[in-house]
Amino acid sequence: MVLSGAKLNSVYKIAEVKDGRLTRRLLDMGFTPRCKIKALGFAPFGGTVLVELRGFTVALRKSAAEYIVIEAD
Amino acid sequence: MEYSFVLTGNPNVGKTSLFNRLTRSFEHVGNWHGVTVDRVSKSAKFEGDDINIVDLPGFYSLTVHSFEEEISRDEILFGKYDALIYVCAADNLSRNLYLLLQLLELDVPVVVVVNMMDELYAVGKTIDAKKLGDALGVPVVLTSAKRGFDGGEIISAAVAESKKHRKRDLPYLRHLPIRSIYEKNKDGITKSKLKPLYASVKLLERDAFVESSVGSGHVAETRYVAETVRLRYEFIDSVTENIIIRDGKQSALNKASEALASFADKILLNKFLALPMFLLIMSGIFWITFGTIGSFFTDIIEKGINIAVESTESFLVKTNLPVWLIKLVCYGIIDGVGGVAAFLPQIVILFFFLAILEDSGYISRLAFMTDGLFEKIGLSGRAVFTMIMGFGCSATAVLTARGLDDEMMRNKTVVLTPFLPCSARLPVFTAVAGAFFGKMSVLAILGLYVLGAVVVVASAAIFESGKKLKSGEGSFVMEMPRYRIPTTERVLQILWSNAKTFLIKVGSIVLVLNVIIWILGNFSLTQGFIGAGSGDSILEQICTVISPIFAPLGFGNWRAVTALMSGLVAKEVVLSTVNSLGGVTAVFGDSLAAICFLVYTLLYVPCVATLGSIRKEAGTKWMIFGLCLQLGTAYVVTLAFRLTALAFSCGIGYGIAAVSFWAVAALLAALTKIIFEKRRCVRCDGCKHCG
């Protein structure tokens, strides 16, 4: 499952970050495999998602959230 | 002794706040990621030493993604400094240490400053600075730019660190094939003059900049990219374990504010409430600025100015000064320029609210909630920052678009932002609307703000529907700051610095320009002083040639045209010109002409400074495009507005004109669309010809 399909407020674990244009940026921001992640909210029209990881909060557009493969924690 | 230190770190950790504290400066700060977009430096004295401090835009990694991040990387790689001062946010240590590790790999002197400690103390926690410092091989200073700041501690740590050479041990590097990648690219690395360890690690990370500097050598396997990142974060996790210690209790105040913050997020991040809340907040701000408190102060000052004009005139008449000089002083200077200066309270109030929006962390939430909408019209939620700043000053707002990573999106944001009314347009709106609409003027002004926003959205949507100006695949990865309350000191500083900027502008540009315009408007080349309105003054001669262009818009008289032209220098001058050329009611015959003039003022080129900013950010081509776009849009929208208004008030004749205008506009839009569509090749999913 990718991050854009996450259920609100449940904790997941990052399985992998897919290869592509944004991979590097996401890795640098701390989206690394095995890191715990939680979806805090979705914006209307288009599904930009707000997530919490490593103790900080970050918003990702759907196209970026689809890079992040998650699994149940 | 002289020292040079560079402040660096992730975005929104308080680098510029520290910079302001250390150098006693007033650089712009705000509670969002990406406020600083350029390198700033200043010197200060500390215990007899000259210390030069450089402030840089924040970034996440030495492998950069945008222009402002490049500025930071280049300063760190090639700048001359004695030590880096690496600023971290106390609440987000592990992500903050990631960039630090990359700087340590560079093998330069670094001092770590953990800022915002007050937020950690408030929840009854602290950081074991010694343990952290020992693990990383750097001195660690705990501080808070907001409360109890001690700059001397940071500077003396940096001075001490710059004098000794530490051999650091970064154990995670042992798991990477650094030796082998170095050997394979030895010649290229030596030639590039990059530090060997940095270059080797970045080659493993497939950093485009290092790969191109080193030249076509041996390229690393892609699996090392994620591997390097993973090893760094694993090391960070081992270092930060048990580094935050509980040494007290969470204060009751902090508990209450946390509850308030989560309540605010429930409303502001609610799908259905977010937009209505935004409209409510903005209307509230404008209502206070224009309607109640702001206009109360402005009215008092205006009454004072009227008294000043009358008493000065009656005093000067008794002297032997020439009539023209008396008129120049009374109407050209006191009435014209003073009439603009009277808006000081409103401008200060508006900037105060904008700063509160900026510092609270609200704009980031708005950016998140609107990103979906903005994506549909080819912009990004991040553009919200630029646009809100645009209510303050278009010229400086344009510069904040740098953080957008798609070039087309950035350039479009840059040319569209000036459609939103900046604070310089505020005096024009208030004075002209106030004279014609009385109590309803607040609604008229709110309408102008809404119109500005509608024009931005509509233009963006039109750009996005064609092929040529379509945005690329932008990304939106934006950190969300905590809610914060600005300190009293900061609020006073905002009020003071904006008041100062405004008064200096009025006292210089507006004054000089207005004296020139008054003279040109009251003197004739052949007869000398003749007064305004006689038809022979120099300005009347010139502007009567141009004014017919504006006749369809309802204000085709030389005074209004002069005001618009002088407004190109600074929008405040529009009002001072109108004031000194006879006053609002003399310049505009009726309320429709006045509101049309305001619509035009809203949309045409804000000022030459903004054009300069557009050129700086997007290049000359985009500046010319922006200029044409703004002049064209202003004309077309004002014409449409006037015809529609006339149709309602004056019946069938104008109704036909309005309908045919809209028909022609629709036809033109359709034609443009067809022309752009034709550019698409047959059976092609996208090539360099059709984007």
Side-chain angles (χ1 to χ4, degrees):
Chain A
M1 176 169 52
V2 291
L3 182 59
S4 31
K7 240 185 8 205
L8 270 189
N9 293 319
S10 15
V11 180
Y12 297 88
K13 218 164 57 182
I14 297 177
E16 71 162 303
V17 180
K18 290 188 201 163
D19 257 342
R21 194 173 62 93
L22 293 174
T23 316
R24 191 53 222 262
R25 171 145 219 115
L26 293 169
L27 286 171
D28 282 335
M29 292 277 289
F31 291 86
T32 53
R34 291 203 290 284
C35 179
K36 284 184 184 170
I37 190 166
K38 187 165 96 175
L40 298 177
F42 289 93
F45 317 106
T48 303
V49 59
L50 191 66
V51 296
E52 186 185 283
L53 80 160
R54 295 182 183 277
F56 67 98
T57 316
V58 61
L60 297 176
R61 191 173 270 188
K62 198 173 178 191
S63 57
E66 272 162 3
Y67 277 73
I68 298 164
V69 184
I70 51 171
E71 57 192 21
D73 182 43
Chain B
M1 281 287 280
E2 271 183 37
Y3 296 96
S4 177
F5 300 128
V6 175
L7 286 164
T8 183
N10 285 171
N12 206 33
V13 293
K15 293 178 292 300
T16 305
S17 295
L18 286 179
F19 178 84
N20 286 344
R21 289 285 186 158
L22 291 170
T23 62
R24 292 169 200 89
S25 317
F26 300 103
E27 291 298 327
H28 191 104
V29 295
N31 182 19
W32 50 285
H33 300 75
V35 184
T36 308
V37 290
D38 216 341
R39 179 189 186 277
V40 180
S41 78
K42 199 177 168 185
S43 291
K45 272 224 177 290
F46 271 94
E47 293 167 4
D49 292 329
D50 284 314
I51 311 281
N52 181 53
I53 310 247
V54 178
D55 187 26
L56 294 176
F59 62 144
Y60 292 105
S61 167
L62 280 175
T63 299
V64 300
H65 300 272
S66 73
F67 177 61
E68 72 204 56
E69 296 183 344
E70 234 167 74
I71 295 174
S72 295
R73 181 200 61 199
D74 290 348
E75 178 71 25
I76 286 170
L77 291 185
F78 309 116
K80 283 201 171 17
Y81 49 81
D82 295 295
L84 296 175
I85 298 177
Y86 186 80
V87 188
C88 294
D91 62 347
N92 187 4
L93 212 49
S94 84
R95 219 274 325 289
N96 276 256
L97 293 182
Y98 178 77
L99 175 61
L100 174 68
L101 290 184
Q102 298 186 39
L103 302 181
L104 297 182
E105 288 161 17
L106 264 175
D107 203 25
V108 289
V110 180
V111 171
V112 173
V113 173
V114 184
N115 191 19
M116 305 182 186
M117 283 303 290
D118 56 314
E119 293 183 10
L120 210 57
Y121 295 146
V123 291
K125 289 177 182 169
T126 188
I127 287 173
D128 190 338
K130 173 140 192 351
K131 196 173 163 192
L132 183 64
D134 289 345
L136 295 166
V138 286
V140 175
V141 180
L142 305 181
T143 193
S144 161
K146 262 188 187 170
R147 282 172 194 87
F149 177 74
D150 178 12
E153 200 186 349
I154 297 170
I155 296 298
S156 51
V159 168
E161 193 63 16
S162 69
K163 285 179 182 156
K164 62 179 155 193
H165 186 80
R166 285 194 197 233
K167 196 81 202 121
R168 292 194 194 93
D169 177 37
L170 299 170
Y172 62 92
L173 293 177
R174 285 182 216 124
H175 304 288
L176 291 168
I178 289 172
R179 189 89 253 155
S180 89
I181 193 86
Y182 175 73
E183 292 297 337
K184 284 172 193 153
N185 292 282
K186 204 170 178 179
D187 294 344
I189 293 176
T190 320
K191 229 185 274 164
S192 72
K193 295 204 173 71
L194 296 171
K195 297 227 170 145
L197 179 61
Y198 159 77
S200 310
V201 177
K202 282 293 163 191
L203 282 174
L204 288 175
E205 288 184 72
R206 303 294 307 273
D207 180 283
F209 165 74
V210 173
E211 279 188 349
S212 74
S213 313
V214 169
S216 59
H218 178 84
V219 176
E221 289 172 53
T222 34
R223 70 185 166 100
Y224 288 117
V225 180
E227 183 67 6
T228 315
V229 177
R230 188 184 63 84
L231 285 168
R232 283 197 195 112
Y233 271 109
E234 266 181 18
F235 177 64
I236 291 168
D237 288 342
S238 73
V239 167
T240 51
E241 208 179 352
N242 302 324
I243 213 83
I244 295 180
I245 32 185
R246 178 166 289 280
D247 71 341
K249 267 191 168 165
Q250 185 175 15
S251 67
L253 181 70
N254 186 266
K255 261 186 201 157
S257 57
E258 264 181 20
L260 190 66
S262 83
F263 176 70
D265 267 346
K266 278 209 178 77
I267 295 173
L268 299 177
L269 296 180
N270 180 293
K271 272 189 186 187
F272 305 102
L273 295 177
L275 203 61
M277 277 310 288
F278 168 67
L279 294 175
L280 202 67
I281 290 170
M282 290 317 277
S283 329
I285 290 174
F286 292 132
W287 195 266
I288 294 173
T289 310
F290 295 109
T292 55
I293 302 175
S295 61
F296 171 76
F297 287 112
T298 305
D299 287 347
I300 293 176
I301 301 179
E302 272 180 340
K303 286 202 180 90
I305 287 166
N306 285 339
I307 296 168
V309 170
E310 282 163 24
S311 52
T312 316
E313 194 170 16
S314 61
F315 170 74
L316 288 178
V317 165
K318 289 177 204 142
T319 62
N320 280 332
L321 289 173
V323 181
W324 69 266
L325 191 60
I326 298 173
K327 296 260 181 216
L328 171 65
V329 170
C330 293
Y331 297 100
I333 297 174
I334 303 180
D335 197 26
V337 181
V340 176
F343 286 92
L344 176 69
Q346 294 193 339
I347 303 252
V348 169
I349 290 172
L350 181 66
F351 272 108
F352 166 75
F353 282 118
L354 291 180
I356 298 282
L357 285 184
E358 235 195 305
D359 280 15
S360 62
Y362 172 59
I363 309 184
S364 297
R365 277 145 185 97
L366 186 65
F368 163 62
M369 291 309 284
T370 50
D371 183 57
L373 277 175
F374 275 110
E375 187 185 4
K376 289 206 166 30
I377 55 170
L379 298 177
S380 149
R382 256 201 81 104
V384 168
F385 292 105
T386 308
M387 291 177 180
I388 301 260
M389 300 292 120
F391 289 129
C393 169
S394 307
T396 51
V398 161
L399 304 178
T400 63
R402 270 190 210 173
L404 295 163
D405 58 357
D406 181 64
E407 195 187 342
M408 179 60 80
M409 192 187 280
R410 189 168 60 234
N411 293 344
K412 285 195 288 189
T413 310
V414 162
V415 294
L416 291 176
T417 299
F419 282 133
L420 295 167
C422 63
S423 64
R425 278 167 261 189
L426 180 156
V428 190
F429 292 173
T430 320
V432 176
F436 283 98
F437 305 104
K439 281 213 155 60
M440 296 296 282
S441 67
V442 181
L443 280 181
I445 295 168
L446 276 182
L448 287 167
Y449 275 83
V450 172
L451 180 63
V454 169
V455 169
V456 170
V457 172
S459 318
I462 292 169
F463 290 167
E464 193 64 7
S465 69
K467 278 269 162 192
K468 211 166 179 187
L469 292 172
K470 201 172 170 62
S471 290
E473 188 200 347
S475 60
F476 178 77
V477 180
M478 187 195 71
E479 233 187 293
M480 196 65 56
R482 278 164 197 267
Y483 288 111
R484 294 197 171 100
I485 302 169
T487 55
T488 329
E489 191 192 347
R490 162 119 171 90
V491 170
L492 291 175
Q493 183 211 316
I494 293 161
L495 299 181
W496 166 239
S497 68
N498 285 302
K500 199 172 70 179
T501 314
F502 176 71
L503 287 178
I504 289 174
K505 195 173 174 190
V506 171
S508 56
I509 301 176
V510 178
L511 177 68
V512 171
L513 204 68
N514 212 53
V515 168
I516 296 172
I517 286 165
W518 190 88
I519 292 174
L520 291 179
N522 286 276
F523 277 81
S524 142
L525 281 176
T526 47
Q527 302 154 51
F529 177 65
I530 47 167
S534 54
D536 289 328
S537 74
I538 303 167
L539 257 185
E540 279 170 85
Q541 300 276 334
I542 300 170
C543 288
T544 315
V545 183
I546 310 168
S547 58
I549 303 173
F550 294 95
L553 306 184
F555 47 84
N557 65 70
W558 70 276
R559 289 185 176 99
V561 173
T562 306
L564 287 178
M565 293 214 306
S566 54
L568 286 173
V569 177
K571 277 278 164 76
E572 293 94 341
V573 185
V574 172
L575 179 62
S576 64
T577 309
V578 169
N579 278 345
S580 57
L581 292 182
V584 177
T585 32
V587 176
F588 311 105
D590 54 59
S591 56
L592 182 59
I595 192 86
C596 286
F597 182 79
L598 290 185
V599 171
Y600 195 86
T601 307
L602 165 75
L603 299 174
Y604 88 113
V605 188
C607 61
V608 278
T610 304
L611 288 178
S613 297
I614 296 177
R615 177 152 178 243
K616 190 173 167 206
E617 296 305 303
T620 310
K621 255 191 191 168
W622 277 90
M623 182 193 76
I624 295 168
F625 172 66
L627 181 73
C628 301
L629 177 77
Q630 286 152 7
L631 289 175
T633 311
Y635 198 91
V636 172
V637 173
T638 311
L639 186 62
F641 182 86
R642 181 161 184 263
L643 288 175
T644 315
L646 283 174
F648 276 106
S649 59
C650 303
I652 193 80
Y654 285 106
I656 293 169
V659 169
S660 42
F661 173 83
W662 284 112
V664 171
L667 191 71
L668 279 176
L671 274 177
T672 332
K673 179 110 174 112
I674 291 167
I675 292 162
F676 278 125
E677 288 292 310
K678 262 194 176 167
R679 301 183 78 90
R680 191 182 291 168
C681 335
V682 191
R683 268 179 247 115
C684 172
D685 298 327
C687 62
K688 68 177 173 160
H689 301 295
C690 60

